[in-house]
Amino acid sequence: MTDTVPRPTLEAVAARAGVSRATVSRVVNGSDGVREPLAERVRRAVDELGYVPNQAARSLVTKRHDAIAVIVAEPETRVFADPFFARQLRGISKELTAHDNQLVLLLTEDRDDHARVGRYLAGGHVDGALVFSLHIDDPLPQLIQRAGLPTVYGGRPDWNGGQGGVAYVDSDNRGGARDAVRHLLGLGRERVAHITGALDQTAAVDRLDGFRDVMGGADPLLVAEGDFTPGGGERAMRLLLERCPSLDAVFAANDLMAAGALRVLREHGRRVPDDVAVVGFDDMLPIAEQTDPPLTTVRQDIEEMGRLMARRLLNDGAEPDGLILPTMLVRRASA
Amino acid sequence: MTDTVPRPTLEAVAARAGVSRATVSRVVNGSDGVREPLAERVRRAVDELGYVPNQAARSLVTKRHDAIAVIVAEPETRVFADPFFARQLRGISKELTAHDNQLVLLLTEDRDDHARVGRYLAGGHVDGALVFSLHIDDPLPQLIQRAGLPTVYGGRPDWNGGQGGVAYVDSDNRGGARDAVRHLLGLGRERVAHITGALDQTAAVDRLDGFRDVMGGADPLLVAEGDFTPGGGERAMRLLLERCPSLDAVFAANDLMAAGALRVLREHGRRVPDDVAVVGFDDMLPIAEQTDPPLTTVRQDIEEMGRLMARRLLNDGAEPDGLILPTMLVRRASA
DNA sequence: GTGAAAGCGCTAACAT
DNA sequence: ATGTTAGCGCTTTCAC
């Protein structure tokens, strides 16, 4: 790494402005109590020297870092196959930026990474953590709790978080699923099937619960387990068609699977929505708009979710409980 | 932000091990020259206390941060509509992790952000920068150069970078485009059209150049400008169909536009590939595999690109020149 | 080989 | 209102 020219220090600015370091520090940090003529002199010196505070030195004494870690635990490539991740990141980034915080991204794929992340968090580089994509039984939360950092989870964790519970932000997966199924029922459909997501993620479980809320004790053969991938959606759709050829509607736990289902339906000569109506979940563009026919789906505001996670963390609004964002049914041609 | 328990310091470890701080420091940093019995005592003390070095204190003296900034300049939402971004990030993350470096993500959308980023880089928080998604005339490179940080660009920048040139990693856009067009010609197609990307990005320009390398002075009406979005692909395809109803092949500068073109073609009753053969660029899954018919396209290894960028930066292999990665034609059903 | 001591650049009491 | 001073926790000469 090429050496960078030594940057001016507080001392240098103080000398140039003919004041003490403390005064410069006050001006730089916007602390009041420096009279105008002086403050102005300092500001000029700062400009002339191109002074920028050394963050390491500052952190050393303040014990703050103005940085938070975003941890995405995703061993599979799933995250990278959809824009979800990028959207949340963007929401987070916006909020963090507004509060002058930096975003340190920690991507983890396997156990080794977990240890590394644990060490990093314990190392006191960041003021808090935002955590995503947890699967049931993920060891990460324990590591994080041990590090004793304020943390907000993205998506309802599967464990209660002990005494105080845990701070998280999630979409109203269950309510959204109910809306989807009710919409199908409202269309006059009678045999509504469901393709679940990977059931080791709470989002999948919650959407399944929503489906059941409305369908009650419907034929269990109308539920097929998927995994949130297009391939999984295809397999599940084939299975459903085999088990219940008479089905007239499908609610898939995400758009990717709905797209897969659409293909299988076409392959089997079923017209959508005439023969079978299809609803997805996410409103993930460009998927939802590009399917044939365009997908009716449940929209969740991913970016807002990211923003709110960051906001809670920064406000120490990280009160240990869940914040649930509303979803919205978006009608297109598939149902 | 809840206060975190004070963590043990070097001093504490030294006391517990009955040695000096200097010795502990040596052991912790793997410096040789500490005899075995002692070293072991220190290691035990570290474990027992759960000591983790304070990075701020360390940086203060070493002036290194073991962190690099990844800057994604993307005012539009394009990045977020495709998995490109996430893939590159993943490659970078892997490489960085292997070298015990952290990834600080800087997302920028507008001019204000640029100033912020400039300040951040100048602030000496990171040891280097990786920069993406530049558009022609982007002011960012200047800011970065002024900060004097080692930098590697993702994708060929449009400016020479002055004296020494500039370090970057890019796919062989031009060569890939040539392969695509030759493939079409090899299929016996005679009127090959091209839908370009946003021509303020070098990737789009290079792909267009590749097209022209092969097609020579073909009818200029066979080239329509797109913008890398599906909508842009649709518009361009309509235009092309209008101008040259006899076209029998299309090379789109990315898969998203190819998908749009496919829809328009179908809408106009042209069969693919029988009437019109279509080739995309990127091999962006799940897009390329999910279109109807699945897309023949030019694959670029995005993750590898990210990895190499990081590697060059860390090795100070940031020699000021370009590294071009090969592309590969992937045949599916559309051509 | 090991320890003592001098800072790195900054903030925050405490004086004045 | 401004300056003086004592560290923050670590690495790194320099003695021993």
Side-chain angles (χ1 to χ4, degrees):
Chain A
M1 216 67 50
T2 348
D3 288 304
T4 157
V5 228
R7 301 187 297 105
T9 69
L10 248 204
E11 183 81 46
V13 179
R16 176 153 198 135
V19 301
S20 74
R21 278 159 34 205
T23 299
V24 179
S25 177
R26 289 184 185 110
V27 173
V28 168
N29 293 327
S31 175
D32 39 286
V34 176
R35 260 199 270 270
E36 204 30 69
L38 250 200
E40 181 51 32
R41 267 227 311 283
V42 171
R43 270 183 240 112
R44 225 191 8 258
V46 165
D47 277 6
E48 292 169 354
L49 265 37
Y51 169 76
V52 185
N54 178 319
Q55 189 63 18
R58 178 180 279 172
S59 291
L60 187 54
V61 28
T62 61
K63 278 141 174 24
R64 292 180 54 265
H65 303 83
D66 297 322
I68 72 101
V70 171
I71 305 173
V72 180
E74 196 58 55
E76 292 126 85
T77 53
R78 198 182 70 79
V79 194
F80 297 97
D82 70 44
F84 221 88
F85 169 60
R87 275 248 177 59
Q88 294 192 116
L89 228 38
R90 190 203 213 186
I92 292 172
S93 166
K94 276 189 177 164
E95 188 69 21
L96 253 29
T97 291
H99 293 256
D100 259 305
N101 266 256
Q102 292 311 323
L103 192 173
V104 177
L105 186 65
L106 269 28
L107 260 29
T108 77
E109 308 209 8
D110 52 36
R111 305 276 144 166
D112 293 0
D113 286 346
H114 283 160
R116 194 190 95 240
V117 168
R119 235 178 310 132
Y120 183 78
L121 295 180
H125 307 240
V126 293
D127 302 323
L130 258 24
V131 184
F132 284 110
S133 296
L134 281 183
H135 292 249
I136 287 175
D137 285 336
D138 197 305
L140 213 53
Q142 286 202 18
L143 285 173
I144 295 170
Q145 271 193 325
R146 254 198 298 151
L149 280 178
T151 305
V152 175
Y153 290 84
R156 180 175 74 80
D158 67 308
W159 88 112
N160 61 11
Q163 280 302 347
V166 53
Y168 70 89
V169 177
D170 202 354
S171 282
D172 184 7
N173 289 306
R174 189 162 181 163
R178 280 195 295 253
D179 290 346
V181 179
R182 283 202 198 102
H183 173 67
L184 258 6
L185 258 24
L187 257 28
R189 307 298 164 139
E190 300 189 321
R191 299 186 62 74
V192 181
H194 178 43
I195 300 176
T196 75
L199 290 173
D200 66 338
Q201 298 181 238
T202 56
V205 173
D206 292 349
R207 288 170 200 178
L208 172 56
D209 285 344
F211 172 81
R212 286 187 175 142
D213 286 346
V214 179
M215 296 302 292
D219 191 344
L221 290 180
L222 281 169
V223 174
E225 186 169 346
D227 57 3
F228 284 134
T229 73
E234 294 185 4
R235 278 188 296 279
M237 192 66 245
R238 285 209 178 85
L239 186 63
L240 288 169
L241 245 21
E242 209 170 279
R243 295 202 300 217
C244 312
S246 63
L247 62 82
D248 56 9
V250 179
F251 164 49
N254 76 347
D255 291 347
L256 249 23
M257 294 194 300
L262 246 28
R263 270 194 304 281
V264 170
L265 254 9
R266 179 164 47 216
E267 188 183 300
H268 284 245
R270 311 284 183 114
R271 288 166 313 161
V272 176
D274 314 75
D275 302 331
V276 180
V278 176
V279 177
F281 204 108
D282 283 349
D283 193 29
M284 179 178 299
L285 310 172
I287 306 290
E289 281 182 335
Q290 311 294 336
T291 55
D292 178 23
L295 210 55
T296 291
T297 186
V298 180
R299 170 180 300 165
Q300 41 178 345
D301 191 342
I302 301 305
E303 194 172 322
E304 177 69 4
M305 205 173 134
R307 208 162 14 225
L308 286 173
M309 287 178 67
R311 191 169 304 159
R312 295 195 88 182
L313 190 63
L314 293 176
N315 293 347
D316 206 353
E319 297 134 30
D321 63 343
L323 173 61
I324 307 295
L325 303 185
T327 59
M328 190 180 105
L329 190 79
V330 178
R331 268 208 85 172
R332 296 206 180 80
S334 73
Chain B
M1 217 66 52
T2 346
D3 287 306
T4 157
V5 228
R7 301 188 299 103
T9 70
L10 247 204
E11 183 81 46
V13 179
R16 175 151 199 137
V19 299
S20 73
R21 279 166 24 212
T23 300
V24 178
S25 175
R26 290 184 185 111
V27 172
V28 167
N29 292 327
S31 174
D32 39 287
V34 177
R35 260 199 270 270
E36 202 31 70
L38 251 200
E40 180 51 32
R41 267 224 315 280
V42 171
R43 270 182 240 112
R44 228 193 3 260
V46 165
D47 278 6
E48 291 169 356
L49 265 39
Y51 169 77
V52 186
N54 178 318
Q55 188 64 18
R58 177 180 279 175
S59 291
L60 185 54
V61 31
T62 62
K63 281 143 173 19
R64 292 180 55 265
H65 303 84
D66 296 322
I68 71 101
V70 171
I71 306 173
V72 180
E74 196 58 54
E76 292 128 84
T77 54
R78 198 182 70 79
V79 194
F80 296 97
D82 70 44
F84 221 88
F85 170 58
R87 276 248 177 59
Q88 294 193 115
L89 227 38
R90 190 203 213 190
I92 292 171
S93 166
K94 276 188 176 167
E95 188 69 20
L96 252 30
T97 291
H99 292 255
D100 260 304
N101 266 257
Q102 293 310 325
L103 192 171
V104 178
L105 185 67
L106 269 29
L107 260 29
T108 77
E109 307 208 10
D110 53 36
R111 304 277 144 168
D112 292 0
D113 286 346
H114 283 161
R116 195 190 94 240
V117 168
R119 235 178 312 134
Y120 183 78
L121 294 180
H125 306 241
V126 292
D127 303 323
L130 259 23
V131 184
F132 284 109
S133 297
L134 281 182
H135 292 248
I136 287 175
D137 285 335
D138 197 306
L140 212 53
Q142 286 202 20
L143 284 174
I144 295 171
Q145 272 194 323
R146 254 199 297 151
L149 279 179
T151 304
V152 176
Y153 290 84
R156 180 175 74 80
D158 68 306
W159 87 114
N160 62 12
Q163 280 302 346
V166 54
Y168 71 90
V169 177
D170 202 354
S171 282
D172 184 8
N173 289 307
R174 189 159 181 168
R178 280 196 294 253
D179 289 346
V181 180
R182 284 202 199 100
H183 173 69
L184 258 7
L185 258 23
L187 258 28
R189 308 296 166 140
E190 299 188 323
R191 298 187 64 73
V192 181
H194 178 42
I195 299 176
T196 76
L199 291 173
D200 65 339
Q201 298 181 240
T202 57
V205 173
D206 292 349
R207 290 171 200 177
L208 171 57
D209 284 345
F211 172 82
R212 285 185 175 142
D213 286 344
V214 180
M215 297 301 292
D219 190 344
L221 289 181
L222 280 169
V223 174
E225 186 169 347
D227 57 3
F228 284 134
T229 72
E234 294 186 3
R235 278 189 297 278
M237 191 68 245
R238 284 208 180 84
L239 187 62
L240 288 170
L241 245 21
E242 207 170 277
R243 295 202 298 216
C244 311
S246 64
L247 61 84
D248 56 11
V250 180
F251 164 49
N254 75 348
D255 291 347
L256 249 23
M257 293 194 299
L262 246 27
R263 271 194 305 281
V264 171
L265 254 9
R266 180 165 45 217
E267 189 183 298
H268 284 245
R270 309 286 181 115
R271 289 165 313 160
V272 175
D274 314 74
D275 301 332
V276 180
V278 176
V279 177
F281 204 110
D282 283 351
D283 193 27
M284 180 178 298
L285 311 174
I287 307 290
E289 282 182 334
Q290 312 293 336
T291 53
D292 179 22
L295 209 55
T296 291
T297 185
V298 180
R299 169 180 300 165
Q300 42 177 343
D301 191 341
I302 301 306
E303 194 173 322
E304 177 70 4
M305 204 173 136
R307 207 161 15 223
L308 286 172
M309 287 177 68
R311 190 168 305 159
R312 296 195 88 181
L313 190 62
L314 294 177
N315 292 347
D316 205 356
E319 297 134 30
D321 63 341
L323 173 61
I324 308 295
L325 303 185
T327 59
M328 190 179 103
L329 189 80
V330 178
R331 268 207 83 170
R332 295 206 181 79
S334 73

Coordinates of all heavy atoms in Angstrom, one line a residue, chain A residues 78 84 173 177 180 193-199 203-208 224 226-229 233 250-258 278-283 297-298 300:
Chain A
R78 N -28.2 -17.8 -2.6 CA -29.5 -17.3 -2.8 C -29.5 -15.7 -2.8 O -30.1 -15.1 -3.7 CB -30.5 -17.8 -1.8 CG -31.9 -17.6 -2.1 CD -32.8 -18.1 -1.0 NE -32.8 -17.3 0.2 CZ -33.4 -16.1 0.3 NH1 -34.1 -15.7 -0.7 NH2 -33.3 -15.4 1.4
F84 N -32.8 -8.3 -3.4 CA -33.3 -8.1 -2.0 C -32.2 -7.4 -1.2 O -32.4 -6.3 -0.6 CB -33.5 -9.5 -1.4 CG -34.7 -9.5 -0.5 CD1 -35.9 -9.9 -1.1 CD2 -34.6 -9.3 0.8 CE1 -37.0 -9.9 -0.3 CE2 -35.7 -9.3 1.6 CZ -36.9 -9.6 1.1
N173 N -45.3 -10.6 7.2 CA -45.4 -11.8 6.3 C -46.7 -12.6 6.5 O -47.3 -13.0 5.5 CB -44.3 -12.8 6.7 CG -42.9 -12.2 6.3 OD1 -42.7 -11.9 5.1 ND2 -42.0 -12.1 7.2
A177 N -49.6 -12.7 3.6 CA -50.0 -14.0 3.1 C -51.5 -14.2 3.1 O -52.2 -14.6 2.2 CB -49.3 -15.2 3.9
A180 N -53.0 -12.3 0.3 CA -52.8 -13.0 -1.0 C -53.9 -14.1 -1.1 O -54.6 -14.2 -2.2 CB -51.5 -13.6 -1.0
A193 N -53.6 -23.7 -3.6 CA -52.4 -24.4 -3.1 C -51.4 -23.4 -2.6 O -51.4 -22.2 -2.9 CB -51.8 -25.2 -4.2
H194 N -50.4 -23.8 -1.9 CA -49.3 -23.0 -1.4 C -48.0 -23.6 -1.6 O -47.8 -24.8 -1.3 CB -49.5 -22.7 0.1 CG -48.5 -21.8 0.7 ND1 -47.9 -20.7 0.1 CD2 -47.8 -21.9 1.9 CE1 -47.0 -20.1 0.9 NE2 -46.9 -20.9 2.0
I195 N -47.0 -22.8 -2.1 CA -45.7 -23.3 -2.2 C -44.9 -22.5 -1.2 O -44.8 -21.3 -1.2 CB -45.1 -23.0 -3.6 CG1 -45.9 -23.7 -4.7 CG2 -43.6 -23.4 -3.7 CD1 -45.4 -23.4 -6.1
T196 N -44.4 -23.2 -0.2 CA -43.7 -22.5 0.9 C -42.3 -22.2 0.6 O -41.7 -22.7 -0.4 CB -43.7 -23.4 2.2 OG1 -42.6 -24.4 2.0 CG2 -45.0 -24.1 2.4
G197 N -41.7 -21.3 1.4 CA -40.3 -21.0 1.3 C -39.5 -22.0 2.0 O -40.1 -23.0 2.5
A198 N -38.2 -21.8 2.2 CA -37.4 -22.7 3.0 C -37.9 -22.6 4.4 O -37.8 -21.5 5.0 CB -35.9 -22.3 2.9
L199 N -38.4 -23.7 5.0 CA -39.0 -23.6 6.3 C -38.0 -23.4 7.5 O -38.5 -23.4 8.6 CB -40.0 -24.7 6.5 CG -41.2 -24.6 5.6 CD1 -42.0 -25.9 5.6 CD2 -42.0 -23.4 5.9
A203 N -39.5 -16.2 7.8 CA -40.4 -15.6 6.8 C -41.3 -16.7 6.1 O -42.5 -16.5 5.9 CB -39.6 -14.8 5.7
A204 N -40.7 -17.8 5.8 CA -41.4 -18.9 5.2 C -42.5 -19.4 6.1 O -43.6 -19.7 5.7 CB -40.4 -20.0 4.8
V205 N -42.1 -19.6 7.4 CA -43.0 -20.1 8.4 C -44.2 -19.2 8.5 O -45.4 -19.6 8.5 CB -42.3 -20.3 9.7 CG1 -43.3 -20.7 10.8 CG2 -41.2 -21.4 9.6
D206 N -43.9 -17.9 8.6 CA -45.0 -16.9 8.8 C -45.9 -16.9 7.7 O -47.1 -16.7 7.8 CB -44.4 -15.5 9.1 CG -43.6 -15.5 10.4 OD1 -43.8 -16.4 11.2 OD2 -42.9 -14.5 10.7
R207 N -45.4 -17.0 6.4 CA -46.3 -16.9 5.3 C -47.1 -18.2 5.2 O -48.3 -18.1 4.9 CB -45.4 -16.8 4.0 CG -44.8 -15.4 3.9 CD -43.8 -15.2 2.8 NE -42.9 -14.0 3.1 CZ -41.9 -13.6 2.4 NH1 -41.6 -14.2 1.3 NH2 -41.2 -12.5 2.8
L208 N -46.6 -19.3 5.6 CA -47.4 -20.5 5.7 C -48.5 -20.4 6.7 O -49.6 -20.7 6.5 CB -46.5 -21.7 6.0 CG -47.2 -23.0 6.3 CD1 -48.0 -23.5 5.2 CD2 -46.1 -24.1 6.6
A224 N -47.0 -27.5 -0.6 CA -45.7 -28.2 -1.0 C -44.6 -27.3 -0.6 O -44.6 -26.1 -0.7 CB -45.7 -28.4 -2.5
G226 N -41.1 -25.5 -0.7 CA -40.2 -25.0 -1.7 C -39.0 -24.5 -1.0 O -38.8 -24.8 0.2
D227 N -38.1 -23.7 -1.6 CA -36.9 -23.2 -1.0 C -36.6 -21.8 -1.4 O -35.4 -21.4 -1.2 CB -35.8 -24.2 -1.3 CG -35.6 -24.3 -2.8 OD1 -36.4 -23.6 -3.6 OD2 -34.8 -25.1 -3.3
F228 N -37.5 -21.1 -1.9 CA -37.3 -19.7 -2.4 C -36.6 -19.6 -3.7 O -36.3 -18.5 -4.1 CB -36.6 -18.9 -1.3 CG -37.5 -18.5 -0.1 CD1 -37.0 -18.6 1.2 CD2 -38.7 -17.9 -0.3 CE1 -37.8 -18.2 2.3 CE2 -39.5 -17.5 0.8 CZ -39.0 -17.7 2.1
T229 N -36.2 -20.7 -4.3 CA -35.5 -20.6 -5.6 C -36.5 -21.0 -6.7 O -37.5 -21.7 -6.5 CB -34.3 -21.6 -5.7 OG1 -34.8 -22.9 -5.8 CG2 -33.4 -21.5 -4.5
G233 N -39.5 -23.8 -6.9 CA -40.9 -23.5 -7.3 C -41.4 -24.4 -8.3 O -42.5 -24.9 -8.3
V250 N -52.6 -20.7 -6.9 CA -51.4 -21.0 -6.2 C -50.9 -19.8 -5.5 O -50.8 -18.7 -6.2 CB -50.3 -21.6 -7.1 CG1 -49.0 -21.9 -6.3 CG2 -50.7 -22.8 -7.8
F251 N -50.5 -19.9 -4.3 CA -49.9 -18.7 -3.6 C -48.4 -19.2 -3.3 O -48.2 -20.2 -2.6 CB -50.6 -18.4 -2.3 CG -49.7 -17.5 -1.4 CD1 -49.1 -16.4 -1.9 CD2 -49.6 -17.8 -0.1 CE1 -48.3 -15.6 -1.0 CE2 -48.9 -17.0 0.8 CZ -48.2 -15.9 0.3
A252 N -47.5 -18.6 -4.0 CA -46.1 -19.0 -3.8 C -45.4 -18.0 -2.8 O -45.7 -16.8 -2.8 CB -45.3 -18.9 -5.1
A253 N -44.6 -18.5 -1.9 CA -44.0 -17.7 -0.8 C -43.0 -16.6 -1.3 O -42.6 -15.8 -0.5 CB -43.4 -18.5 0.2
N254 N -42.6 -16.7 -2.6 CA -41.9 -15.5 -3.1 C -42.0 -15.5 -4.7 O -42.5 -16.5 -5.3 CB -40.4 -15.5 -2.7 CG -39.5 -16.5 -3.4 OD1 -40.0 -17.4 -4.0 ND2 -38.2 -16.3 -3.2
D255 N -41.6 -14.4 -5.3 CA -41.8 -14.2 -6.7 C -40.9 -15.2 -7.5 O -41.4 -15.6 -8.6 CB -41.4 -12.8 -7.1 CG -42.4 -11.8 -6.6 OD1 -43.5 -12.2 -6.1 OD2 -42.2 -10.6 -6.6
L256 N -39.7 -15.5 -7.1 CA -38.9 -16.4 -7.8 C -39.5 -17.7 -8.0 O -39.5 -18.3 -9.1 CB -37.6 -16.5 -7.0 CG -36.2 -16.0 -7.5 CD1 -36.4 -14.8 -8.5 CD2 -35.3 -15.6 -6.4
M257 N -40.1 -18.2 -6.9 CA -40.8 -19.5 -7.0 C -42.1 -19.4 -7.8 O -42.4 -20.3 -8.6 CB -41.2 -20.1 -5.6 CG -39.9 -20.4 -4.8 SD -40.3 -21.4 -3.3 CE -41.4 -20.3 -2.4
A258 N -42.7 -18.3 -7.7 CA -43.9 -18.1 -8.5 C -43.6 -18.1 -10.0 O -44.3 -18.7 -10.8 CB -44.6 -16.7 -8.2
V278 N -52.2 -17.2 -10.0 CA -51.0 -17.3 -9.2 C -50.7 -15.9 -8.5 O -50.8 -14.9 -9.1 CB -49.8 -17.6 -10.2 CG1 -48.5 -17.6 -9.4 CG2 -50.1 -19.0 -10.8
V279 N -50.3 -16.0 -7.3 CA -49.8 -14.8 -6.5 C -48.5 -15.1 -5.9 O -48.2 -16.2 -5.4 CB -50.8 -14.5 -5.4 CG1 -50.3 -13.3 -4.6 CG2 -52.2 -14.2 -5.9
G280 N -47.6 -14.2 -6.0 CA -46.3 -14.3 -5.4 C -46.1 -13.5 -4.1 O -47.1 -13.1 -3.5
F281 N -44.9 -13.3 -3.8 CA -44.6 -12.4 -2.6 C -43.3 -11.8 -2.8 O -42.3 -12.4 -3.3 CB -44.5 -13.3 -1.3 CG -44.8 -12.6 0.0 CD1 -46.0 -12.8 0.6 CD2 -43.9 -11.7 0.5 CE1 -46.3 -12.2 1.8 CE2 -44.2 -11.0 1.7 CZ -45.4 -11.3 2.4
D282 N -43.2 -10.5 -2.5 CA -42.0 -9.7 -2.5 C -42.1 -8.5 -3.4 O -41.7 -7.4 -3.1 CB -40.7 -10.4 -3.1 CG -40.1 -11.4 -2.1 OD1 -40.5 -11.3 -0.9 OD2 -39.2 -12.2 -2.5
D283 N -42.8 -8.7 -4.6 CA -42.8 -7.7 -5.6 C -41.4 -7.3 -6.0 O -41.0 -6.2 -5.9 CB -43.6 -6.4 -5.2 CG -43.9 -5.6 -6.5 OD1 -44.0 -6.1 -7.6 OD2 -44.0 -4.3 -6.3
T297 N -48.7 -9.9 -6.8 CA -47.8 -10.3 -5.7 C -48.0 -9.4 -4.5 O -48.7 -8.4 -4.5 CB -46.4 -10.2 -6.2 OG1 -45.5 -10.8 -5.2 CG2 -46.0 -8.8 -6.5
V298 N -47.4 -9.8 -3.4 CA -47.5 -9.0 -2.1 C -46.2 -8.2 -2.0 O -45.1 -8.7 -1.9 CB -47.6 -9.9 -0.9 CG1 -47.7 -9.1 0.4 CG2 -48.8 -10.8 -1.1
Q300 N -43.4 -5.9 -0.4 CA -42.9 -5.4 0.9 C -41.8 -4.4 0.6 O -41.1 -4.4 -0.4 CB -42.3 -6.5 1.7 CG -41.5 -7.6 1.0 CD -40.9 -8.6 1.9 OE1 -40.9 -8.4 3.1 NE2 -40.4 -9.7 1.4

